[in-house]
Amino acid sequence: MEGVGLSANNKQKQNQMLPNKTRGEFTRNQRKDSEGLSEAPDLEFEYSDADNWAVELSELYSYTEGPEFLLNRKCFEEDFHTHMPDQKWTKLDSVQHRAHAMRLLDGLDVIGREHRLKVARAILYMAQGTFGECSSEVEVQHWMRYNSFLLLDVGAFTALLELLNMEIDNSAACSSAVRKPAISLADSTDLRVLLNIMYLMVETIQSEEPTDSPEWRTIRETFKSELGSPLYNHEPVSVMLFGMVTKFCSGHAPHFPMKKVLLLLWKTILFTLGGFEQLQCSKVSKRAELGLPPLPEDSLCVVRSMRAASPPASASDLIEQQQRRARRDHKALIKQDNLDAFNEKDPYKADDTREEEEENDDNDNSMEAEPFPIERDEVMPPPIPHPPTERVCFPKGLPWAPKVREKDIEQFLESSRSKFIGYTLGNDTDTVVGLPRPIHESIKTLKQHKYVSIAEVQIAKEEEYQKTPLSGGEEELELCAIELLYQGILPSLPQYMIALLKILLAAAPTSKAKTDSINILADVLPEEMPTTVLQSMKLGVDVNRHKEIIVKAISAILLLLLKHFKLNHVYQFEYMAQHLVFANCIPLILKFFNQNIMSYITAKNSISALDFPHCVVHELPELTAESLEAGDNNQFCWRNLFSCINLLRILNKLTKWKHSRTMMLVVFKSAPILKRALKVKQAMMQLYVLKLLKVQTKYLGRQWRKSNMKTMSAIYQKVRHRLNDDWAYGNADLDARPWDFQAEECALRASIERFNSRRYDKSQSNPEFLPVDNCLQSVLGQRIDLPEDFQMNYDLWLEREVFSKPISWEELLQ
């Protein structure tokens, strides 16, 4: 993490070190880039749960796995033609299909590893759509759907899970992999075949089509509930996959194909819990259940309708701006009466000032430009005529409805009362006696926009349960998929978070190759390393693509879990979020963004001719170094933009309303890193960057705010307004005293531990709250082992406690 935020001014230093001629060329090139960037249209990117189905299928395979497609086909056809000579799979009826699928499943039950692998490859060929008999990609996808539902119906998924469990526990394979100096594709063959089939089944079955039969819809719903419940091995499938991730990161199983494990884990979570649109619907219904007012707007719709802002100025723009400002300073140093006359004459004065202010916005160095030396009696130059400029169109209204917390209303009333009357009333938000009329109006406006979140209701209920464990009643716990998943990962959640972040660090493009970092390339490196330049280039593309897909999967997993846990119960979310923070997630994400983000988003690490199913249907063209360098014609790389938005959303979730974590953003110098990310002209990405800049603005100092007025304007236009929030000023926040930071995290941790203990740790329940046995017979019938010293002195005890004390039997009987 040591490199985080340290290279904010590297470009400037680099520029200073260049010789004059080179520096001029460097600046010109930068200006060209900058101009192209600001004139570029918005990126036509539609944020979704995942990319389209065909792309998600192709990303499962690395390009080094290409030869295995024909091997799978060979294994299937050998077996198929033995039992059904001169037949074609696509020409059989459903009964024959089912019979052959059952026969293959029986073949998985044999002891011999070689034979079992052949059968598994034949099943994989079925899941891949029996492509040898298809003439187009559409036909392959049709048979993939048909075969996946068929395999699920005959019970293939359960059989594959049992085999996967065997492979996970295969200590011989693990120990041989640990001893090997270099692990390659061959070490994970069995695991890859099983994970490929399972991924294809999950990914294919979860994608709904309007043409699906009612039977398929029923199968899908059953499969969804089974995946999310602890039917397989007494735990949800996701928990088993999390176990594979931690085993890999601990170094005990370096041969695990981690990309495939992470992709299957992501798609399993997405399928069982639901994506972003389902989350929005669940949020609406949950608010209705709790009796809260409906959401002021659909956040997904608002974000999708937003337009990107122009990116901040680059270094070359700033140099031009300084020269322009210097010329204006030329004009400024004249007598006051002349200046007034000049202002009256110049019809473009107002536009000029606005232009200057906007161009002055992004000076990272926060340094004022030095004016040129001016002679005392220089004559004022004539006004320069400006070309007519287009008028700026401002949005008619704010994109988001403003929100106010109950706490904000309380604070506003407290400060108003102490100012005007000199007394306070605690949490009373109704009494306005003695306050002036404008304050009444302000309170009315604040209450109109008051927003109570589901989390606030859940926290209040939890406090009630902790205060009144006996009279509070029994909590109704709905065992939905997310609740079952939380219960499954709760014992090892810290290790799971550390493991995911370790892999994310290894896959980040800014990470240096270190000897102690984990090897995530085990399932992409071939047995024989490339010998030609073309093979090396192809492997280089494959390795970069492999890392990008891993980042995409991990960012999606973390975001989905955070969002679902927050909706289910806020303390589940806080538990996961706190362990991410403890595992250095905040500096890791900032380290990820501390790169040329435009290069990452426009990276061309894919070879479309080698993507599945294109590569198995069409003749493979001859690959050349030029075609590999050219890449595809897309404006941007979907998965990389998706990953960036996910990571920004995770950072927002971790830091929102947490002053100690906001200060981490300030300490790690995140402002210049985040500001560079604004160059990406995509509204959703810009929105989450602006949110992260907004929370730390008041701590960045007046000079930063003065130099970044365009960014401040963008925050005003695009980010939700919190009434009474003075984010744009340097006023000290009562909640943000530096000595309270540790206390804030400790208090949160204590609340989370109480919640987990009350809900899930039945062994730790307070003995005072256990039910009491009041039945005389059962109490007297209990055998109690008395201590040895008591038995030895029993006679003395009888004499002292019973015989020597007078007993009034009459009183006892009454």
Side-chain angles (χ1 to χ4, degrees), residues 498-607:
I498 290 168
L500 287 175
L501 293 183
K502 268 187 178 178
I503 299 170
L504 183 62
L505 177 64
T510 48
S511 292
K512 305 286 185 291
K514 291 181 183 174
T515 48
D516 58 341
S517 66
I518 49 176
N519 175 21
I520 54 168
L521 304 176
D523 54 329
V524 71
L525 297 177
E527 281 186 275
E528 295 176 7
M529 292 309 281
T531 51
T532 66
V533 174
L534 189 65
Q535 286 175 340
S536 299
M537 285 181 72
K538 182 182 156 189
L539 184 60
V541 170
D542 207 3
V543 165
N544 288 337
R545 174 177 175 267
H546 183 81
K547 288 181 175 180
E548 289 172 4
I549 295 166
I550 286 176
V551 173
K552 172 186 174 181
I554 292 177
S555 67
I557 289 166
L558 292 176
L559 181 61
L560 275 173
L561 287 179
L562 285 170
K563 286 189 77 68
H564 277 285
F565 283 150
K566 188 165 188 186
L567 190 58
N568 194 49
H569 199 290
V570 66
Y571 282 135
Q572 294 177 349
F573 158 79
E574 294 290 8
Y575 186 53
M576 179 180 165
Q578 197 164 57
H579 279 291
L580 283 172
V581 173
F582 292 162
N584 278 341
C585 184
I586 292 174
L588 170 55
I589 294 175
L590 293 173
K591 183 183 175 76
F592 180 88
F593 279 97
N594 196 18
Q595 58 169 314
N596 185 338
I597 210 72
M598 277 306 294
S599 299
Y600 185 70
I601 277 167
T602 54
K604 306 284 187 190
N605 292 315
S606 57
I607 309 166

Side-chain angles (χ1 to χ4, degrees), residues 44-81:
E44 294 299 321
F45 170 80
E46 190 172 328
Y47 185 75
S48 181
D49 296 315
D51 209 337
N52 67 59
W53 186 48
V55 175
E56 294 296 338
L57 294 177
S58 69
E59 288 184 352
L60 174 64
Y61 311 102
S62 56
Y63 296 142
T64 43
E65 283 181 274
E68 293 189 16
F69 290 125
L70 292 177
L71 184 57
N72 299 339
R73 178 180 174 179
K74 185 184 168 191
C75 290
F76 175 85
E77 287 179 349
E78 278 178 8
D79 179 79
F80 184 67
H81 292 315

